[in-house]
Amino acid sequence: MKRIHFDKKGPVYKHYFFWEPWGCAGCLGRGLIFIGLLFVLLYLLSQLRGCSDSSLDNVSDSELPENLAPVRQQPVPPISDDDVIDEEGRRIVSNRLNVLFSAEVGATGMNEWTGKFKELYPGDEYAVLFSDSITKLMALQVPPGERSSLKTRLPEQIPDIPFMVFEEEVMESGGEGSDPFLEDRSKAWYFGPIQADQAWERSTGGSGVVIAVVDSYFDLDSPEFSDIEIVGPYNVSSGGSDVSLPADFNPSHPDPVLCHGTMVAATAVGALGNAHGSAGIAPECSLMPVSLGRRFGCFAMLQGLLYAINKGASIVNISAGLSFAEDLQGLGVDRQIELSRTSFLGQEEVWKYVFDMADKFYVTIVWAAGNENIFTAIDASKRGSNTIKVSAVDKNLRKADFSNFGNFPALGIYESTVSAPGVGIYGEVPQSDDGMMVDGTSFAAPIVAGAVGLMKSIDPTLSTQEIAGILRATGRPVGRNSTIGPVIQIRAALDSIDRTLVPFSTIMECYAGQTDYPVSFPTTFLYSFPTSEDYDPTSLMPLLRIELEFTGRGEGNVIYKSNLNPGNVWRAPFTMSFDTAERRLRLRQATPALPTDSALVGISSADLFVSSFPDGCAIVENFVSESLPCEGTFLIKKAQTDGN
């Protein structure tokens, strides 16, 4: 098993002893000064003690602002059952409010906000329980009777710092309670109807695609994870990197909640051909396990989700959702739809903000639709078109009786994106050589997350909307007038992506002057790059894409585009030559690419070597750039599909 470690090894310096080289005459005076400075130093260390062990990925301590609150330094505050109440059909924490700051607010702004909050509310019953300048989240303790009014007052009282206030909603996991299971098709029935076997002929994923699973706990010593890359494990409950099961877990009598994370992760990325259990849909993708613990609220889920986005996840699977009161579940469908349009709009705004951020950084969020057999969009986290919401089908490929739903074409409502098998799914039991069959949209969602992992292994630049469109267009409808999305057909989805790729012969025509100029082709290149010299290492790094523009025989331009500044481009000319021995084209960018915005840094000269993939499409098999030391290959696409 591979893990990422971050060591802190500071430099070692040689110094004189404090009494040298002055001699005995100066010893007493300088000794007193030294003792005084030592007391001052000890006092300062005691004040800074909580901030002395930051461990942000790929960022040295010298690069961090002094007042930065590190991600792994503090646990998310737990939820007490005594504080949970039912309100408007939801289960919420009566004495808690959460704050989500705008992306441009850093540690300094959050500290300023805290100071103003305490000036306004100095009593001990008002407190900041948690603050993280990376994910921009803060948790507040407030008097239960003041909670509702504070939601309105705080934005009015602190208007100069952009933020949102929302309540702490109680969430719950969506599960119900030569690979042996894979070989037994009565148990591994669901691989055939979704075309998993045919999809693996095209792709089993790639380690550069990271699937984050935000869930309960994980048994990373399971054989299902022994050969995959484990990236940035994070425990929201403790603030550390230990995501393992608690000591009271008993594999002989497995608690479904404690098993949940392991089962979901194995369904998405479990090993293929390891003579154990079953297999994940994307067995060659990497796993980012994010543990929420036994009991969690929307704040912990947001912290886990934002952590995954900030740490480089490509896909985030969340097999959990809002915990509903029983009276809400008994409402008619018309009333449920009305509630989804008129209620919990503050929470909807918070989730939309996070989803828009994920979209901007090419992160696809996959939700389990839920198991209450209700309209899924009652849950504010499951509204809109920029996440993939997964309903469940049974062995007859009909809607599972427990599955939440969301599609009413006559009303123009489509809140169930797709569906996948969610009945009789193999579940990997932690700390055991055995498994169990499980039901729930919890296990339909990671099937889809794995499918998205295979899709992004071909083209990481696909947006969530593009992925959803492909899965819908290639999916298998679930009967007439179904209220859930089509069953995914993974091989058909991969074939659809392949049809967007440019044949190598087309690039040769551009080289030989056998096309109409100018003609441009986007690529699947996606790479993190600090585009300005004053880049803040605690913020999300911009992502660059490459477009190739052919302007004449054997010549053109390399165009670089940033996701954070789409109006700016870097452009440099290239010339082309053909190596007959290697059967490949060389695109030589001899000069640096300069940005239209002079405040941004330039991109060094580069060489792109283009050849033919076995299926005939054009592949950039080697890209050499000092500014962008990208390893691996990328493909050339037929046309712009994201509007950039």
Side-chain angles (χ1 to χ4, degrees):
M1 181 184 299
K2 300 179 182 177
R3 290 182 172 83
I4 294 179
H5 302 279
F6 302 96
D7 297 326
K8 297 173 178 289
K9 297 183 179 179
V12 178
Y13 299 99
K14 176 174 175 56
H15 295 283
Y16 290 109
F17 292 107
F18 74 91
W19 60 80
E20 296 177 342
W22 309 304
C24 294
C27 179
L28 180 61
R30 288 173 173 81
L32 291 173
I33 294 173
F34 174 79
I35 292 172
L37 291 173
L38 181 61
F39 277 112
V40 172
L41 177 62
L42 290 173
Y43 172 77
L44 291 175
L45 286 174
S46 69
Q47 300 302 304
L48 297 173
R49 201 165 161 188
C51 299
S52 63
D53 190 31
S54 175
S55 59
L56 293 169
D57 295 5
N58 303 321
V59 181
S60 67
D61 291 346
S62 62
E63 296 177 293
L64 296 175
E66 292 180 359
N67 58 352
L68 178 67
V71 170
R72 298 188 180 184
Q73 197 71 105
Q74 53 184 328
V76 167
I79 293 173
S80 170
D81 288 339
D82 295 337
D83 298 325
V84 176
I85 62 173
D86 289 345
E87 186 175 280
E88 297 180 317
R90 300 170 298 161
R91 307 187 70 226
I92 64 173
V93 181
S94 62
N95 62 347
R96 187 83 59 82
L97 281 177
N98 301 321
V99 180
L100 174 62
F101 291 89
S102 183
E104 66 269 19
V105 178
T108 301
M110 292 177 69
N111 288 339
E112 181 183 348
W113 192 97
T114 300
K116 293 182 177 182
F117 173 71
K118 289 306 295 180
E119 286 179 9
L120 291 165
Y121 304 99
D124 292 340
E125 65 271 31
Y126 301 91
V128 175
L129 303 176
F130 176 95
S131 180
D132 184 352
S133 61
I134 300 299
T135 58
K136 315 301 182 188
L137 284 171
M138 183 180 290
L140 306 177
Q141 174 185 295
V142 299
E146 293 287 305
R147 173 179 48 81
S148 295
S149 61
L150 277 171
K151 280 177 58 182
T152 303
R153 291 205 308 266
L154 282 173
E156 297 172 350
Q157 292 171 328
I158 313 178
D160 52 335
I161 300 174
F163 65 94
M164 301 176 184
V165 184
F166 59 102
E167 291 167 318
E168 173 72 325
E169 297 176 318
V170 178
M171 315 295 280
E172 61 184 14
S173 60
E176 297 177 9
S178 87
D179 297 301
F181 272 85
L182 194 60
E183 292 173 0
D184 185 347
R185 284 295 162 162
S186 66
K187 296 177 180 178
W189 68 271
Y190 52 93
F191 288 91
I194 60 173
Q195 301 181 341
D197 302 272
Q198 299 98 308
W200 290 333
E201 296 172 0
R202 173 63 178 88
S203 175
T204 52
S207 61
V209 175
V210 179
I211 300 178
V213 176
V214 180
D215 215 290
S216 59
Y217 299 96
F218 302 87
D219 176 15
L220 297 183
D221 292 323
S222 166
E224 293 301 290
F225 309 128
S226 60
D227 294 324
I228 70 170
E229 191 85 14
I230 305 295
V231 179
Y234 176 51
N235 187 315
V236 171
S237 300
S238 70
S241 59
D242 184 2
V243 299
S244 59
L245 283 85
D248 61 351
F249 176 72
N250 182 356
S252 299
H253 301 283
D255 183 323
V257 173
L258 304 188
C259 290
H260 202 266
T262 302
M263 290 180 171
V264 169
T267 303
V269 297
L272 174 65
N274 67 338
H276 173 87
S278 185
I281 301 299
E284 298 296 327
C285 287
S286 297
L287 169 66
M288 180 184 292
V290 179
S291 171
L292 300 176
R294 296 175 188 261
R295 184 75 179 276
F296 52 89
C298 63
F299 185 88
M301 185 177 290
L302 279 167
Q303 175 71 5
L305 171 56
L306 287 165
Y307 171 88
I309 294 172
N310 275 274
K311 295 301 176 180
S314 310
I315 301 108
V316 183
N317 183 95
I318 306 180
S319 289
L322 186 62
S323 178
F324 293 107
E326 290 185 7
D327 55 346
L328 187 62
Q329 298 180 37
L331 294 177
V333 173
D334 290 344
R335 178 59 178 150
Q336 293 177 29
I337 293 174
E338 181 184 352
L339 279 175
S340 73
R341 292 171 169 172
T342 60
S343 301
F344 320 139
L345 299 182
Q347 278 73 12
E348 180 180 345
E349 185 180 1
V350 170
W351 287 107
K352 184 179 185 305
Y353 175 89
V354 175
F355 298 157
D356 287 345
M357 182 192 302
D359 266 353
K360 187 177 291 186
F361 286 89
Y362 298 93
V363 180
T364 296
I365 299 169
V366 179
W367 282 102
N371 302 328
E372 295 85 12
N373 191 28
I374 62 174
F375 185 56
T376 189
I378 291 181
D379 186 341
S381 65
K382 299 182 177 67
R383 297 176 185 171
S385 62
N386 50 358
T387 65
I388 294 177
K389 293 154 289 188
V390 184
S391 299
V393 295
D394 59 22
K395 293 184 178 182
N396 295 315
L397 301 187
R398 298 294 185 221
K399 175 186 170 300
D401 55 9
F402 55 78
S403 177
N404 288 357
F405 50 85
N407 293 353
F408 297 92
L411 300 175
I413 297 174
Y414 297 91
E415 295 290 1
S416 171
T417 313
V418 293
S419 59
V423 173
I425 309 301
Y426 171 80
E428 175 75 8
V429 175
Q431 302 175 12
S432 170
D433 291 329
D434 201 0
M436 64 173 68
M437 308 311 290
V438 291
D439 299 339
T441 60
S442 279
F443 309 104
I447 289 174
V448 175
V452 176
L454 299 184
M455 296 169 73
K456 288 203 170 193
S457 297
I458 299 173
D459 185 0
T461 68
L462 288 170
S463 69
T464 297
Q465 289 79 4
E466 289 172 329
I467 290 169
I470 292 170
L471 290 175
R472 280 197 184 110
T474 58
R476 174 176 175 171
V478 185
R480 277 188 168 184
N481 303 316
S482 177
T483 56
I484 64 175
V487 180
I488 61 168
Q489 304 292 287
I490 307 177
R491 180 58 197 247
L494 301 186
D495 289 343
S496 178
I497 297 171
D498 283 341
R499 287 192 290 272
T500 69
L501 303 177
V502 169
F504 181 66
S505 59
T506 299
I507 303 301
M508 286 297 294
E509 290 171 359
C510 294
Y511 165 68
Q514 299 171 349
T515 190
D516 294 329
Y517 301 110
V519 58
S520 297
F521 301 107
T523 71
T524 63
F525 180 91
L526 193 65
Y527 192 77
S528 299
F529 177 66
T531 56
S532 62
E533 293 183 354
D534 60 350
Y535 163 72
D536 180 353
T538 67
S539 64
L540 276 168
M541 192 179 294
L543 294 171
L544 283 189
R545 293 185 60 176
I546 290 178
E547 182 177 312
L548 301 177
E549 179 186 47
F550 297 89
T551 57
R553 180 170 180 169
E555 62 183 18
N557 295 302
V558 182
I559 301 172
Y560 302 88
K561 298 182 178 182
S562 165
N563 66 318
L564 296 186
N565 192 359
N568 175 77
V569 297
W570 290 255
R571 183 186 297 267
F574 66 72
T575 57
M576 301 173 68
S577 60
F578 183 68
D579 186 329
T580 54
E582 297 288 338
R583 299 294 301 171
R584 68 179 186 179
L585 285 166
R586 178 186 182 185
L587 280 62
R588 173 61 174 158
Q589 175 202 324
T591 59
L594 301 178
T596 53
D597 183 350
S598 59
L600 301 179
V601 299
I603 298 173
S604 66
S605 58
D607 282 305
L608 296 88
F609 297 90
V610 184
S611 62
S612 178
F613 203 58
D615 62 1
C617 69
I619 181 171
V620 181
E621 63 179 14
N622 194 14
F623 175 67
V624 182
S625 169
E626 185 176 339
S627 295
L628 307 172
C630 171
E631 296 182 1
T633 62
F634 56 95
L635 301 167
I636 301 175
K637 302 167 68 172
K638 287 183 179 177
Q640 284 283 18
T641 56
D642 62 0
N644 287 342

mmCIF file of all heavy atoms in Angstrom, residues 129-161:
data_model
loop_
_atom_site.group_PDB
_atom_site.id
_atom_site.type_symbol
_atom_site.label_atom_id
_atom_site.label_comp_id
_atom_site.label_asym_id
_atom_site.label_seq_id
_atom_site.Cartn_x
_atom_site.Cartn_y
_atom_site.Cartn_z
ATOM 1 N N LEU A 129 -15.954 27.265 17.748
ATOM 2 C CA LEU A 129 -15.562 25.889 18.054
ATOM 3 C C LEU A 129 -14.536 25.339 17.072
ATOM 4 O O LEU A 129 -13.785 24.418 17.402
ATOM 5 C CB LEU A 129 -16.793 24.973 18.032
ATOM 6 C CG LEU A 129 -17.950 25.347 18.964
ATOM 7 C CD1 LEU A 129 -19.112 24.392 18.746
ATOM 8 C CD2 LEU A 129 -17.490 25.314 20.412
ATOM 9 N N PHE A 130 -14.506 25.891 15.857
ATOM 10 C CA PHE A 130 -13.648 25.333 14.808
ATOM 11 C C PHE A 130 -13.461 26.406 13.745
ATOM 12 O O PHE A 130 -14.385 27.150 13.417
ATOM 13 C CB PHE A 130 -14.317 24.104 14.189
ATOM 14 C CG PHE A 130 -13.568 23.485 13.034
ATOM 15 C CD1 PHE A 130 -12.701 22.424 13.244
ATOM 16 C CD2 PHE A 130 -13.728 23.957 11.738
ATOM 17 C CE1 PHE A 130 -12.020 21.846 12.179
ATOM 18 C CE2 PHE A 130 -13.056 23.386 10.674
ATOM 19 C CZ PHE A 130 -12.190 22.325 10.901
ATOM 20 N N SER A 131 -12.238 26.486 13.208
ATOM 21 C CA SER A 131 -11.974 27.432 12.120
ATOM 22 C C SER A 131 -10.868 26.870 11.247
ATOM 23 O O SER A 131 -9.836 26.429 11.753
ATOM 24 C CB SER A 131 -11.549 28.792 12.692
ATOM 25 O OG SER A 131 -11.295 29.715 11.656
ATOM 26 N N ASP A 132 -11.076 26.876 9.934
ATOM 27 C CA ASP A 132 -10.097 26.328 9.002
ATOM 28 C C ASP A 132 -9.988 27.256 7.800
ATOM 29 O O ASP A 132 -10.927 27.389 7.024
ATOM 30 C CB ASP A 132 -10.528 24.927 8.565
ATOM 31 C CG ASP A 132 -9.509 24.249 7.664
ATOM 32 O OD1 ASP A 132 -8.545 24.909 7.261
ATOM 33 O OD2 ASP A 132 -9.693 23.063 7.362
ATOM 34 N N SER A 133 -8.841 27.898 7.644
ATOM 35 C CA SER A 133 -8.669 28.858 6.550
ATOM 36 C C SER A 133 -8.477 28.189 5.199
ATOM 37 O O SER A 133 -8.515 28.861 4.166
ATOM 38 C CB SER A 133 -7.471 29.771 6.843
ATOM 39 O OG SER A 133 -6.282 29.013 6.950
ATOM 40 N N ILE A 134 -8.274 26.870 5.165
ATOM 41 C CA ILE A 134 -8.149 26.168 3.895
ATOM 42 C C ILE A 134 -9.527 25.903 3.299
ATOM 43 O O ILE A 134 -9.816 26.242 2.158
ATOM 44 C CB ILE A 134 -7.382 24.847 4.078
ATOM 45 C CG1 ILE A 134 -5.976 25.118 4.611
ATOM 46 C CG2 ILE A 134 -7.292 24.086 2.752
ATOM 47 C CD1 ILE A 134 -5.115 25.958 3.707
ATOM 48 N N THR A 135 -10.408 25.305 4.100
ATOM 49 C CA THR A 135 -11.748 24.995 3.602
ATOM 50 C C THR A 135 -12.723 26.149 3.810
ATOM 51 O O THR A 135 -13.867 26.071 3.361
ATOM 52 C CB THR A 135 -12.305 23.735 4.297
ATOM 53 O OG1 THR A 135 -12.338 23.955 5.722
ATOM 54 C CG2 THR A 135 -11.438 22.530 4.007
ATOM 55 N N LYS A 136 -12.294 27.220 4.511
ATOM 56 C CA LYS A 136 -13.095 28.440 4.734
ATOM 57 C C LYS A 136 -14.315 28.171 5.608
ATOM 58 O O LYS A 136 -15.325 28.870 5.521
ATOM 59 C CB LYS A 136 -13.565 29.062 3.412
ATOM 60 C CG LYS A 136 -12.516 29.153 2.320
ATOM 61 C CD LYS A 136 -11.303 29.957 2.722
ATOM 62 C CE LYS A 136 -10.311 30.049 1.579
ATOM 63 N NZ LYS A 136 -9.034 30.666 1.986
ATOM 64 N N LEU A 137 -14.244 27.191 6.488
ATOM 65 C CA LEU A 137 -15.362 26.838 7.351
ATOM 66 C C LEU A 137 -15.096 27.238 8.793
ATOM 67 O O LEU A 137 -13.952 27.190 9.272
ATOM 68 C CB LEU A 137 -15.629 25.333 7.285
ATOM 69 C CG LEU A 137 -16.331 24.813 6.033
ATOM 70 C CD1 LEU A 137 -16.322 23.297 6.019
ATOM 71 C CD2 LEU A 137 -17.766 25.328 5.965
ATOM 72 N N MET A 138 -16.169 27.605 9.497
ATOM 73 C CA MET A 138 -16.098 27.950 10.916
ATOM 74 C C MET A 138 -17.365 27.443 11.584
ATOM 75 O O MET A 138 -18.460 27.535 11.017
ATOM 76 C CB MET A 138 -15.969 29.464 11.084
ATOM 77 C CG MET A 138 -15.809 29.939 12.521
ATOM 78 S SD MET A 138 -15.649 31.767 12.612
ATOM 79 C CE MET A 138 -14.016 31.994 11.904
ATOM 80 N N ALA A 139 -17.233 26.880 12.784
ATOM 81 C CA ALA A 139 -18.376 26.403 13.558
ATOM 82 C C ALA A 139 -18.525 27.271 14.802
ATOM 83 O O ALA A 139 -17.547 27.527 15.506
ATOM 84 C CB ALA A 139 -18.191 24.935 13.951
ATOM 85 N N LEU A 140 -19.757 27.699 15.072
ATOM 86 C CA LEU A 140 -20.043 28.568 16.207
ATOM 87 C C LEU A 140 -20.973 27.870 17.187
ATOM 88 O O LEU A 140 -21.916 27.176 16.784
ATOM 89 C CB LEU A 140 -20.717 29.861 15.743
ATOM 90 C CG LEU A 140 -20.034 30.693 14.661
ATOM 91 C CD1 LEU A 140 -20.908 31.883 14.304
ATOM 92 C CD2 LEU A 140 -18.653 31.151 15.113
ATOM 93 N N GLN A 141 -20.712 28.082 18.481
ATOM 94 C CA GLN A 141 -21.673 27.702 19.514
ATOM 95 C C GLN A 141 -22.476 28.944 19.875
ATOM 96 O O GLN A 141 -21.912 30.013 20.119
ATOM 97 C CB GLN A 141 -20.944 27.186 20.743
ATOM 98 C CG GLN A 141 -21.857 26.899 21.932
ATOM 99 C CD GLN A 141 -21.071 26.502 23.156
ATOM 100 O OE1 GLN A 141 -20.416 25.466 23.167
ATOM 101 N NE2 GLN A 141 -21.106 27.344 24.183
ATOM 102 N N VAL A 142 -23.812 28.803 19.890
ATOM 103 C CA VAL A 142 -24.691 29.930 20.187
ATOM 104 C C VAL A 142 -25.811 29.446 21.094
ATOM 105 O O VAL A 142 -26.111 28.249 21.143
ATOM 106 C CB VAL A 142 -25.285 30.533 18.887
ATOM 107 C CG1 VAL A 142 -24.188 31.056 17.980
ATOM 108 C CG2 VAL A 142 -26.143 29.507 18.148
ATOM 109 N N PRO A 143 -26.473 30.350 21.814
ATOM 110 C CA PRO A 143 -27.626 29.943 22.625
ATOM 111 C C PRO A 143 -28.748 29.435 21.720
ATOM 112 O O PRO A 143 -29.035 30.034 20.678
ATOM 113 C CB PRO A 143 -28.040 31.241 23.339
ATOM 114 C CG PRO A 143 -26.830 32.111 23.294
ATOM 115 C CD PRO A 143 -26.128 31.769 22.021
ATOM 116 N N PRO A 144 -29.399 28.330 22.068
ATOM 117 C CA PRO A 144 -30.454 27.773 21.205
ATOM 118 C C PRO A 144 -31.533 28.788 20.830
ATOM 119 O O PRO A 144 -32.011 28.798 19.694
ATOM 120 C CB PRO A 144 -31.017 26.621 22.038
ATOM 121 C CG PRO A 144 -29.879 26.204 22.910
ATOM 122 C CD PRO A 144 -29.137 27.466 23.234
ATOM 123 N N GLY A 145 -31.912 29.640 21.772
ATOM 124 C CA GLY A 145 -32.954 30.620 21.487
ATOM 125 C C GLY A 145 -32.525 31.720 20.536
ATOM 126 O O GLY A 145 -33.376 32.449 19.999
ATOM 127 N N GLU A 146 -31.213 31.866 20.325
ATOM 128 C CA GLU A 146 -30.689 32.927 19.468
ATOM 129 C C GLU A 146 -30.330 32.426 18.068
ATOM 130 O O GLU A 146 -30.006 33.228 17.190
ATOM 131 C CB GLU A 146 -29.439 33.537 20.110
ATOM 132 C CG GLU A 146 -29.698 34.286 21.394
ATOM 133 C CD GLU A 146 -30.389 35.613 21.124
ATOM 134 O OE1 GLU A 146 -29.864 36.412 20.344
ATOM 135 O OE2 GLU A 146 -31.479 35.822 21.695
ATOM 136 N N ARG A 147 -30.349 31.137 17.871
ATOM 137 C CA ARG A 147 -29.837 30.563 16.630
ATOM 138 C C ARG A 147 -30.515 31.154 15.390
ATOM 139 O O ARG A 147 -29.842 31.627 14.459
ATOM 140 C CB ARG A 147 -30.006 29.040 16.642
ATOM 141 C CG ARG A 147 -29.651 28.352 15.330
ATOM 142 C CD ARG A 147 -29.813 26.846 15.448
ATOM 143 N NE ARG A 147 -31.071 26.472 16.028
ATOM 144 C CZ ARG A 147 -32.238 26.410 15.386
ATOM 145 N NH1 ARG A 147 -32.272 26.719 14.102
ATOM 146 N NH2 ARG A 147 -33.340 26.043 16.000
ATOM 147 N N SER A 148 -31.828 31.140 15.347
ATOM 148 C CA SER A 148 -32.535 31.602 14.149
ATOM 149 C C SER A 148 -32.300 33.080 13.878
ATOM 150 O O SER A 148 -32.063 33.487 12.734
ATOM 151 C CB SER A 148 -34.038 31.328 14.296
ATOM 152 O OG SER A 148 -34.292 29.943 14.350
ATOM 153 N N SER A 149 -32.359 33.913 14.907
ATOM 154 C CA SER A 149 -32.174 35.350 14.703
ATOM 155 C C SER A 149 -30.744 35.690 14.321
ATOM 156 O O SER A 149 -30.499 36.614 13.536
ATOM 157 C CB SER A 149 -32.592 36.122 15.954
ATOM 158 O OG SER A 149 -31.808 35.739 17.067
ATOM 159 N N LEU A 150 -29.767 34.939 14.843
ATOM 160 C CA LEU A 150 -28.364 35.205 14.507
ATOM 161 C C LEU A 150 -28.080 34.931 13.032
ATOM 162 O O LEU A 150 -27.217 35.572 12.434
ATOM 163 C CB LEU A 150 -27.440 34.349 15.381
ATOM 164 C CG LEU A 150 -27.139 34.889 16.779
ATOM 165 C CD1 LEU A 150 -26.402 33.842 17.600
ATOM 166 C CD2 LEU A 150 -26.323 36.171 16.704
ATOM 167 N N LYS A 151 -28.783 33.976 12.441
ATOM 168 C CA LYS A 151 -28.596 33.704 11.009
ATOM 169 C C LYS A 151 -28.824 34.958 10.182
ATOM 170 O O LYS A 151 -28.146 35.212 9.176
ATOM 171 C CB LYS A 151 -29.562 32.612 10.540
ATOM 172 C CG LYS A 151 -29.142 31.206 10.859
ATOM 173 C CD LYS A 151 -30.198 30.220 10.422
ATOM 174 C CE LYS A 151 -30.501 30.322 8.940
ATOM 175 N NZ LYS A 151 -31.575 29.398 8.511
ATOM 176 N N THR A 152 -29.787 35.764 10.607
ATOM 177 C CA THR A 152 -30.103 37.002 9.889
ATOM 178 C C THR A 152 -29.218 38.152 10.339
ATOM 179 O O THR A 152 -28.767 38.966 9.516
ATOM 180 C CB THR A 152 -31.583 37.372 10.113
ATOM 181 O OG1 THR A 152 -32.400 36.275 9.696
ATOM 182 C CG2 THR A 152 -31.945 38.612 9.335
ATOM 183 N N ARG A 153 -28.944 38.231 11.649
ATOM 184 C CA ARG A 153 -28.222 39.391 12.188
ATOM 185 C C ARG A 153 -26.762 39.428 11.781
ATOM 186 O O ARG A 153 -26.214 40.494 11.467
ATOM 187 C CB ARG A 153 -28.321 39.413 13.724
ATOM 188 C CG ARG A 153 -29.688 39.718 14.263
ATOM 189 C CD ARG A 153 -29.604 40.323 15.668
ATOM 190 N NE ARG A 153 -28.811 39.529 16.587
ATOM 191 C CZ ARG A 153 -29.322 38.608 17.407
ATOM 192 N NH1 ARG A 153 -30.624 38.356 17.378
ATOM 193 N NH2 ARG A 153 -28.549 37.937 18.237
ATOM 194 N N LEU A 154 -26.095 38.286 11.804
ATOM 195 C CA LEU A 154 -24.644 38.292 11.591
ATOM 196 C C LEU A 154 -24.231 38.903 10.251
ATOM 197 O O LEU A 154 -23.313 39.727 10.205
ATOM 198 C CB LEU A 154 -24.089 36.869 11.746
ATOM 199 C CG LEU A 154 -23.928 36.380 13.183
ATOM 200 C CD1 LEU A 154 -23.539 34.909 13.216
ATOM 201 C CD2 LEU A 154 -22.886 37.217 13.931
ATOM 202 N N PRO A 155 -24.866 38.544 9.110
ATOM 203 C CA PRO A 155 -24.475 39.188 7.850
ATOM 204 C C PRO A 155 -24.698 40.698 7.865
ATOM 205 O O PRO A 155 -23.976 41.439 7.190
ATOM 206 C CB PRO A 155 -25.367 38.501 6.810
ATOM 207 C CG PRO A 155 -25.703 37.181 7.414
ATOM 208 C CD PRO A 155 -25.842 37.459 8.880
ATOM 209 N N GLU A 156 -25.693 41.173 8.636
ATOM 210 C CA GLU A 156 -25.935 42.611 8.734
ATOM 211 C C GLU A 156 -24.913 43.286 9.641
ATOM 212 O O GLU A 156 -24.509 44.430 9.398
ATOM 213 C CB GLU A 156 -27.346 42.854 9.268
ATOM 214 C CG GLU A 156 -28.453 42.338 8.355
ATOM 215 C CD GLU A 156 -29.824 42.427 8.995
ATOM 216 O OE1 GLU A 156 -29.887 42.709 10.222
ATOM 217 O OE2 GLU A 156 -30.826 42.212 8.296
ATOM 218 N N GLN A 157 -24.475 42.584 10.676
ATOM 219 C CA GLN A 157 -23.558 43.173 11.646
ATOM 220 C C GLN A 157 -22.103 43.150 11.190
ATOM 221 O O GLN A 157 -21.293 43.962 11.632
ATOM 222 C CB GLN A 157 -23.691 42.430 12.985
ATOM 223 C CG GLN A 157 -25.034 42.647 13.662
ATOM 224 C CD GLN A 157 -25.231 41.733 14.854
ATOM 225 O OE1 GLN A 157 -24.742 40.597 14.874
ATOM 226 N NE2 GLN A 157 -25.935 42.225 15.865
ATOM 227 N N ILE A 158 -21.753 42.192 10.308
ATOM 228 C CA ILE A 158 -20.376 42.107 9.794
ATOM 229 C C ILE A 158 -20.464 42.105 8.267
ATOM 230 O O ILE A 158 -20.250 41.070 7.620
ATOM 231 C CB ILE A 158 -19.657 40.846 10.325
ATOM 232 C CG1 ILE A 158 -19.856 40.692 11.837
ATOM 233 C CG2 ILE A 158 -18.156 40.903 10.001
ATOM 234 C CD1 ILE A 158 -19.232 39.455 12.432
ATOM 235 N N PRO A 159 -20.782 43.241 7.661
ATOM 236 C CA PRO A 159 -21.068 43.268 6.224
ATOM 237 C C PRO A 159 -19.836 43.333 5.322
ATOM 238 O O PRO A 159 -19.952 43.100 4.118
ATOM 239 C CB PRO A 159 -21.896 44.554 6.080
ATOM 240 C CG PRO A 159 -21.367 45.452 7.156
ATOM 241 C CD PRO A 159 -21.023 44.549 8.307
ATOM 242 N N ASP A 160 -18.661 43.665 5.879
ATOM 243 C CA ASP A 160 -17.489 43.922 5.033
ATOM 244 C C ASP A 160 -16.663 42.680 4.732
ATOM 245 O O ASP A 160 -15.660 42.756 4.025
ATOM 246 C CB ASP A 160 -16.598 44.983 5.680
ATOM 247 C CG ASP A 160 -16.241 44.647 7.123
ATOM 248 O OD1 ASP A 160 -17.007 43.905 7.767
ATOM 249 O OD2 ASP A 160 -15.202 45.132 7.618
ATOM 250 N N ILE A 161 -17.045 41.512 5.285
ATOM 251 C CA ILE A 161 -16.338 40.258 5.011
ATOM 252 C C ILE A 161 -17.362 39.279 4.437
ATOM 253 O O ILE A 161 -18.338 38.942 5.101
ATOM 254 C CB ILE A 161 -15.695 39.672 6.286
ATOM 255 C CG1 ILE A 161 -14.694 40.667 6.880
ATOM 256 C CG2 ILE A 161 -15.001 38.342 5.981
ATOM 257 C CD1 ILE A 161 -14.115 40.233 8.215
#
